[in-house]
Amino acid sequence: MLLSHLLHLEGIASVVLERRSREALEKTVRAGVLEHGTAELLKEVGVGERMEREGSVHSGIELRFGGRGHRIDFADLTDGLSITIYGQQEVVKDLIQARLETDGQILFEAEAASLHDLDTVSPRVHFQNDGEEEEISCDFVAGCDGFFGVCRDGIPENARTEYERTYPFAWFGILVEGPPSTEELIYTLHDRGFSLVSTRNPEIQRLYFQCDPADKVENWPDERIWDELSTRLATHDGWELADGNIFQKDIVQMRSFVCEPMQYGKLFLAGDAAHIVPPTGAKGMNLAVADIQVLAHALAEFYRSGDTGLLDAYSETCLHRVWRAQRFSWWMTSMLHRFDRSDPFQLKVQQAELGYVTSSRAAATTIAENYVGAALG
Ligand code: DHB
């Protein structure tokens, strides 16, 4: 959706094949943290107005462990940079609206089925539309169909390498109607596991806690969730978690994954089709936006001058940022989760690491500049 908008601004036509309905897209709650550069881009390209009005700018986070909170001050450590809290589905809503207002072509409930002739001047995409198989031929295919989409398979197996790590835990996520407990996000390490206090707006809160990947939402009645969160988030000075009405529960699986290269012939993969990060550090949507910015720029250059230099460099350009974000997400995940509760040594080392990153300005800077996105480019 963002690529289609950026291409439109360059006078380049595109068709978006969207597997889901507009309603489902606009309702599904996903991530909510926009890096500094992501928020700036949305403003620059004319889709940031509601984000500026309804989103909230945060200039730090709290890391909590051993019953105490420690603030990482992004503004101080990165020359004034910040993050913006604004739900991914809100970004999607704004983009859909912008595209439809300018007669953009979005086919909803149209699922890409297979890709053809990717190494020719006229690649084709087959897709399902109203139960019929249809075909589009085009100059380029942007594979933005997520981890489970068909596009990645457009790169022949012998031409790609996949790097992967799975984690022995997942995140249990809840949406709560109620007041915020805190002004900034809180990432907590506790003997019983990780937890995170986030928000969507002054009325809706988003919280997560580490759980078993095989766990089920049904195993967690509201009271058990509040008990677990209160235990993990407790501080020596009696901090209290504001409660509210839990209206959604979900389980988020954790994975690190990268496909190299991200391009084959006329196919360019972007976002989760090419890479997945575990959610700790909130890089997923931001990486997708960064890929799209590179791709839109490269396509604009091609249509302006015929020069394929930026397109040829697409994969390498993106993978640089992707691996930096992979490292950061893997590191934050490793520092903040219990991998094995029977291993007290690991907990002690994690607590020592958190002690270091919250007391050394140099170490705190490595979190701040990666979190706001300044160290990834
Ligand atoms: C949220 C998600 C994240 O992965 C994270 O690190 C911080 C916040 C969120 O959904 O609000």
Side-chain angles (χ1 to χ4, degrees), residues 30-33 171 185 187 196 198 200 206 208 279-282 371:
R30 296 176 132 185
V33 177
W171 280 11
L185 273 54
Y187 287 79
L196 168 61
S198 180
R200 282 295 173 274
R206 180 75 165 142
Y208 301 95
T280 334
Y371 202 103

Side-chain angles (χ1 to χ4, degrees), residues 23 295 342:
E23 194 191 5
L295 184 54
S342 65

